[in-house]
Each structure stands twice: as C-alpha cells, then as structure tokens.
Amino acid sequence: MKKVLFIIASLAFASLPTLAQQVEYSVSGTYAKDGSVIYLNDQLTEKSIDSTLVANGKFSFTGKADKDALMAIYVKDIRWETPFFNDGTPVMFNANDSTLKGSPLNERLTMYQLENEELNRAMRAKISKLTREEMLAQADELMEEINQKNDRDIAVANRVFKEERNSLIPVAFAHLYFFDNGVDTYDQLVSEQVPFANHPYLKKAKDDIANALQPKDSPKAAFVGQQYTDFEMADPDGKMHKISELVGEGKWVLVDFWASWCGPCRAEMPNVLEAYNTYHAKGFEVVGISFDNNKNAWLKAVEQLKMPWLQLSDLKGGEGEAATIYKVDAIPDNILIDPQGKITDRGLRGKPLHKRLLEIFGE
C-alpha cells in the first residue's frame, strides 16, 4: 500500500509545472550622459524589469531572474539594445560603445551584435535628420541602403545558427532566422535536440514571425484550402486580364500583391524573380497585382525590378478589387494557386517560397 501511495504521489508531483531556477543578476555600466534613462528588459515578456538614471557616469541593476533568461540593456537616447543571457556571471556594460564584459557566452553574443552596429546607427541617424520631402526624394537610395542593412543582419543570424549551434546564442537571433528560413525550421531544431531548442524565447520568436506573416485568427488564413476567386484588371497597356487565364493546365500561380512604394516588396522581388527563373519552365507562373495609385510609379518600378511576368493594377491602391476580395491589409503578400484552382499557401517569402516550390516541382 505504501508503495502504491508513493507512486501516486510521485506521479502527482511530476505533473506539477517545473519552476525555473532563479539566478541573481548584476549589471553595472558606464555612460557619458548623466541623467539618461537606462532600462533592463525581459525579452520574453517584452516588459521592463527595472530602470535607472545615469549618475556620475554610472548605473547598475541587481536582482533575480530565470536562469539563462534572455535580457537586454536598453539605452533610451540612442535607441540601442544589447542582449545578454542571465547565466549568473556579472555583466559590465559600456553604453558609450555598446561593448560588454561578462561570461564568454555573453561576450560572443555581443561580438555578433556589434558586427553591424556602426552601420545600423549611421542609418538611423541619417533617416532621423531627413524631412518627409527629403525622404521621398531619396526613397530609392534609402531603400537600397535599408535592404543592404537587412541582408547583413540576416546573414549574421544565419551564420550564428551555424557557428553557435552548441550554445544559447542563436536564441537571440531567432526572429531574423525564422523570417529568412521559415517557421517550420523550429520543429526541425526541436527534433534535432539542439542545446537551445527548449529555450522559451525560441518558441516566442517562431510564434511572433508566424503571426506577423499570417496570424492564425486573421481572415487571410481562411483562404488557404479554398478555391480562388477570379478578378479582372488592366495591364500596363490597358488590356484587361483575368487570373483564370493562367490557372490550370498543370500550372501553379503565385498572385503577388505589391506596390512601387513598398520597400519590403521591392526587397523581396529579386527572390521572386529567382524562383520564377528556376521553375517557370516547369509550370510556375507569377502575376503581379500592384497596389499603386500612380501609373508612372508602377511602370517605373516594373522596369527597375525587371519583372518579366504579367503585371496588373486597377490603380486604386489598398481599395482595389484584389485587396477587397482577399482581405489584403498589408503588403507584401501573396497566394499560391494549384492547377485545380485551390489556394494552397499564403505569404510565401524568402527561402520558404523556394522550399515550397522545390516540394512541388523537384530539382
């Protein structure tokens, strides 16, 4: 009887949630601007744990938090955040140059963070000084610089996931990694039991990106699995076309919602072009649906981005027919239609687009 009671008690205890181990943190820092506000943030909850003012060039934080929690020091006036893991080793932070001393883990994390810091800060400083009119006048130049910055950030994230596979550091770059490689790579990391697979921030990053690309409760999600709804629009020459002209006969059609003024759309276009060039001969079609209001801007972008596929627009911006039918409230966006006219995917971008097409068409 005692043995039975012991087993029952053991099972009951095992069913209780495991409390995370608490570890003391000690953060000390220096900054040249007295009176500046410094925050200590919890990256998982996205809340500030504590804040303080710089006095005599110094600031500090002490307390307890979950072991290996991803935390960050945020300097308000320069809008720069430096993450670190709460591994029990004191952190010494120099806010003047964003350098950090601490455990080898956190020092390596800071090294990766600093790779593009100078360029990122220069970009933010440049944009902050421009008027709206100046930004519009320099739109193409600024977008090119922003795209290059984003490419560098993503390259660092992908390298971290390769070089630091046996540490926690990839967790801090998970948003960029999932954005570029797709949220389904989360399941792969978990199945491979990488050391950081169970970190709660990894799942948060996956959920954040999945929700940003296509929220589960969004009306957009309802279209996947349904038959497409046809519509008709004019091409650049004014000739009317329907989506149904492309659907069927073994073809897969990507209906790509974009606009000339949309920076992320323009940044994604080389990726769509690569996919088109790779799979067009096998039956992959693309039709661009522009959310422009200005025909000249639309045609100029088509020429600049060298898009060889059919382009359509009713020049009604976000109030056009396509936006209404498919509830497009943000671009870039797209739907993938199979040869039977069923919408199989939505919001395919970056590497996930290529992965999906590889599944369909093979090598």
Side-chain angles (χ1 to χ4, degrees):
M1 183 63 179
K2 288 183 179 179
K3 183 177 180 181
V4 172
L5 289 174
F6 175 76
I7 292 173
I8 293 174
S10 298
L11 290 173
F13 179 78
S15 66
L16 294 175
T18 303
L19 297 176
Q21 179 186 351
Q22 293 280 294
V23 173
E24 292 186 357
Y25 59 79
S26 174
V27 178
S28 59
T30 57
Y31 192 39
K33 298 181 181 179
D34 282 357
S36 295
V37 183
I38 310 291
Y39 292 92
L40 183 65
N41 296 336
D42 183 331
Q43 302 294 72
L44 183 63
T45 63
E46 298 183 353
K47 294 181 179 179
S48 176
I49 301 171
D50 201 354
S51 64
T52 189
L53 297 176
V54 178
N56 298 319
K58 297 180 180 180
F59 63 90
S60 65
F61 299 103
T62 57
K64 283 188 175 183
D66 290 347
K67 185 179 187 309
D68 294 327
L70 184 60
M71 303 166 73
I73 304 163
Y74 177 67
V75 185
K76 186 176 180 180
D77 64 347
I78 60 174
R79 293 183 297 169
W80 183 259
E81 193 171 60
T82 298
F84 67 93
F85 291 99
N86 184 36
D87 57 8
T89 301
V91 168
M92 292 166 285
F93 180 65
N94 184 341
N96 299 297
D97 59 9
S98 298
T99 55
L100 180 148
K101 297 294 183 182
S103 66
L105 176 76
N106 283 322
E107 290 185 6
R108 290 203 312 280
L109 171 57
T110 303
M111 176 192 71
Y112 287 114
Q113 285 288 129
L114 289 175
E115 280 198 31
N116 294 323
E117 181 198 11
E118 185 176 350
L119 293 172
N120 290 344
R121 284 193 182 187
M123 169 62 67
R124 290 197 301 272
K126 178 178 180 178
I127 292 176
S128 67
K129 295 177 182 177
L130 297 177
T131 64
R132 176 177 173 79
E133 290 71 22
E134 289 172 332
M135 289 181 66
L136 290 173
Q138 301 177 38
D140 290 344
E141 176 189 342
L142 289 173
M143 191 50 57
E144 180 63 25
E145 291 182 28
I146 290 172
N147 290 341
Q148 290 176 2
K149 182 197 82 67
N150 292 339
D151 288 344
R152 288 194 303 268
D153 290 344
I154 288 174
V156 170
N158 285 325
R159 201 174 88 242
V160 165
F161 268 74
K162 183 179 296 184
E163 294 178 351
E164 296 287 345
R165 193 171 178 81
N166 293 317
S167 78
L168 290 177
I169 291 177
V171 168
F173 295 85
H175 281 90
L176 285 168
Y177 183 79
F178 290 137
F179 178 81
D180 189 48
N181 295 278
V183 294
D184 55 343
T185 54
Y186 171 82
D187 294 329
Q188 182 179 343
L189 293 168
V190 171
S191 67
E192 292 173 356
Q193 298 182 327
V194 294
F196 55 88
N198 293 324
H199 197 287
Y201 191 78
L202 187 72
K203 184 178 186 304
K204 169 184 163 51
K206 183 263 293 186
D207 292 341
D208 285 348
I209 295 301
N211 194 55
L213 295 178
Q214 185 173 300
K216 291 182 179 180
D217 58 352
S218 168
K220 296 180 181 180
F223 291 96
V224 176
Q226 303 298 315
Q227 290 296 114
Y228 82 102
T229 299
D230 203 8
F231 59 86
E232 187 176 40
M233 284 185 181
D235 67 13
D237 296 323
K239 183 180 179 180
M240 302 302 291
H241 294 271
K242 290 184 177 181
I243 302 301
S244 54
E245 295 175 19
L246 299 176
V247 176
E249 299 180 1
K251 295 180 179 179
W252 289 74
V253 181
L254 185 76
V255 183
D256 188 35
F257 306 114
W258 74 288
S260 66
W261 45 261
C262 169
C265 300
R266 298 178 72 112
E268 174 64 10
M269 213 55 72
N271 181 63
V272 179
L273 179 59
E274 181 184 352
Y276 180 83
N277 289 336
T278 302
Y279 297 104
H280 178 59
K282 296 184 177 183
F284 178 54
E285 297 285 354
V286 179
V287 54
I289 308 300
S290 170
F291 281 28
D292 277 282
N293 297 96
N294 184 300
K295 185 173 182 179
N296 289 333
W298 170 37
L299 300 185
K300 180 180 178 181
V302 171
E303 181 181 359
Q304 288 175 333
L305 297 170
K306 297 178 173 58
M307 296 180 278
W309 49 83
L310 179 65
Q311 294 288 338
L312 305 176
S313 181
D314 54 15
L315 297 176
K316 295 181 180 179
E319 304 299 321
E321 185 178 9
T324 301
I325 291 174
Y326 289 105
K327 301 186 185 302
V328 183
D329 53 13
I331 51 177
D333 194 2
N334 58 52
I335 56 173
L336 183 64
I337 304 172
D338 74 8
Q340 289 72 47
K342 184 172 71 175
I343 298 172
T344 62
D345 301 86
R346 183 155 190 170
L348 289 170
R349 297 169 63 184
K351 292 179 183 177
L353 172 61
H354 291 267
K355 181 178 180 181
R356 182 70 176 101
L357 295 176
L358 181 61
E359 292 172 356
I360 294 169
F361 296 109
E363 296 288 351

